[in-house]
């Protein structure tokens, strides 16, 4: 049995993770940590993997403490910067146990990870590519981290293939053209009734390919979280890993 502690256990994602772990045949809940609990209760003696879903302002501190307590971590909380990732890497280099791992996924939904991958594969075959992300109106950031990631993946694939710049006769900076991320335009829609959705539009003269991922419910993230827990618990991925694609054999 993999012993899983959940940090942020009373949050929307944390509560779903507790349910998913309890329903999994090969896992059991070790500790449930809320904002009022001491994270020091999560130790290598009681926990194989901690799952962290809290708030961006707390996540780095939580992860550093868990590393120091000898625990490997799966992280879903957003807001990671290169500087924060460097601090995680440095802490892992001094981790008390060999093979300790931290895994961070900007998006645990299999559909979103595959959409990213397919968009990057398709990008070099098209003259134009744009990303539209659509979310519920309570989302605080725009464009979404996932859309930014998709745009970077498209841009990198096009650079590698030596693609020409995308045609666009728009003069100057025009807000309605969205945000240019690495040269790829990203548009953000906030609409009541939506959850988390992303479309990649790829265009050639006379044809279009649309890749769309829809996450209707938090349940969509749970298979990815459990996959990450199993991979981290296996001890085969020591150090810092970012992105669920690593575990999907793509
Ligand atoms: P949420 O419902 O607001 O839950 C966050 C929880 O963390 C709250 O219960 C909060 O407690 C608790 N918390 C805050 N600081 C803490 C601390 N220091 N220690 C322990 N618990 C603490 O948010 P959510 O919807 O679950 O989302 C959580 C994070 O996951 C966000 O960053 C979100 O963007 C991200 N997310 C990622 C994915 C993905 O696929 N990677 C998917 C969905 C969401 P209080 O309410 O008492 O403050």
């Amino acid at each position: 049995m993999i012993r899983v502690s959940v940090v942020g256990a009373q949050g929307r994602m944390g509560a779903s993770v507790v349910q998913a772990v309890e329903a999994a045949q090969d896992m059991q809940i070790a500790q449930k940590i809320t904002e009022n609990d001491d994270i020091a209760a999560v130790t290598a003696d009681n926990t194989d993997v901690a799952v962290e879903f809290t708030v961006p302002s707390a996540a780095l501190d939580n992860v550093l403490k868990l590393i120091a307590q000898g625990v490997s971590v799966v992280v879903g909380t957003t807001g990671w910067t290169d500087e924060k990732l460097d601090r995680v890497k440095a802490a892992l280099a001094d981790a008390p146990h060999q093979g300790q791992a931290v895994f961070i996924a900007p998006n645990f939904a299999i559909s979103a990870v595959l959409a990213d991958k397919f968009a990057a594969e398709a990008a070099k075959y098209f003259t134009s590519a744009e990303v539209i992300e659509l979310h519920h109106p309570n989302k605080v950031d725009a464009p979404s981290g996932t859309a930014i990631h998709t745009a970077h993946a498209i841009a990198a694939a096009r650079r590698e293939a030596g693609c020409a710049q995308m045609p666009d006769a728009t003069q100057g900076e025009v807000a309605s053209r969205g945000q240019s991320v690495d040269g790829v335009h990203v548009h953000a829609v906030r609409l009541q009734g939506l959850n988390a959705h992303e479309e990649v539009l790829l265009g050639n003269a006379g044809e279009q390919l649309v890749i769309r991922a829809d996450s209707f419910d938090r349940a969509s993230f749970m298979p990815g979280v459990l996959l990450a827990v199993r991979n981290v618990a296996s001890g085969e991925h020591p150090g810092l890993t970012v992105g669920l694609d690593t575990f999907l054999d793509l």
Side-chain angles (χ1 to χ4, degrees), residues 7-8 10-14 33-35 53-56 58 62 76-78 105-108 221:
V7 182
Q10 280 180 353
R12 286 166 292 194
M13 287 298 288
I33 302 294
T34 70
E35 197 176 0
F53 273 102
T54 60
V55 288
N62 284 340
T77 309
T78 45
N107 199 320
F108 278 103
F221 303 118

Side-chain angles (χ1 to χ4, degrees), residues 27-194:
M27 295 181 199
Q28 65 187 47
I29 288 290
Q31 304 281 316
K32 292 188 234 174
I33 302 294
T34 70
E35 197 176 0
N36 300 322
D37 297 322
D38 189 353
I39 200 169
V42 181
T43 67
D45 287 338
N46 60 36
T47 300
D48 298 309
V49 180
V51 178
E52 211 277 359
F53 273 102
T54 60
V55 288
S57 57
L60 175 63
D61 200 35
N62 284 340
V63 171
L64 295 180
K65 283 179 181 158
L66 290 164
I67 293 171
Q69 286 155 212
V71 177
S72 290
V73 199
V74 166
V75 188
T77 309
T78 45
W80 292 91
T81 59
D82 287 343
E83 192 198 344
K84 287 182 178 182
L85 295 176
D86 285 344
R87 289 188 61 190
V88 171
K89 277 185 214 157
L92 279 167
D94 294 333
H97 297 301
Q98 230 190 350
Q100 256 181 265
V102 171
F103 172 77
I104 302 175
N107 199 320
F108 278 103
I110 307 284
S111 57
V113 176
L114 290 177
D116 233 37
K117 173 79 178 165
F118 297 155
E121 292 215 345
K124 68 180 177 192
Y125 300 107
F126 290 85
T127 309
S128 304
E130 301 215 359
V131 180
I132 307 171
E133 57 96 327
L134 312 91
H135 283 85
H136 58 84
N138 298 327
K139 186 170 175 58
V140 292
D141 57 325
S144 70
T146 300
I148 291 172
H149 190 267
T150 306
H152 281 304
I154 290 169
R158 292 178 64 83
R159 260 195 304 275
E160 196 181 322
C163 294
Q165 213 179 343
M166 292 189 251
D168 183 359
T170 313
Q171 301 278 317
E173 290 282 307
V174 177
S176 59
R177 290 287 292 115
Q179 181 177 327
S180 174
V181 176
D182 210 355
V184 178
H185 284 265
V186 180
H187 310 264
V189 177
R190 295 291 171 266
L191 205 70
Q192 197 69 51
L194 294 180

Side-chain angles (χ1 to χ4, degrees), residues 2 13 16-21 23-24 26-27 51 53 74 103 105 107-114 214-232 244-245 247-248:
I2 306 171
M13 287 298 288
S16 297
V17 172
V18 169
Q19 277 183 1
V21 167
D26 56 341
M27 295 181 199
V51 178
F53 273 102
V74 166
F103 172 77
N107 199 320
F108 278 103
I110 307 284
S111 57
V113 176
L114 290 177
D214 293 288
S215 177
F216 301 113
D217 188 272
R218 273 186 290 286
S220 63
F221 303 118
M222 294 308 125
V225 172
L226 298 189
L227 178 71
V229 168
R230 289 186 183 106
N231 274 278
V232 165
L244 195 67
D245 50 324
F247 300 147
L248 285 178

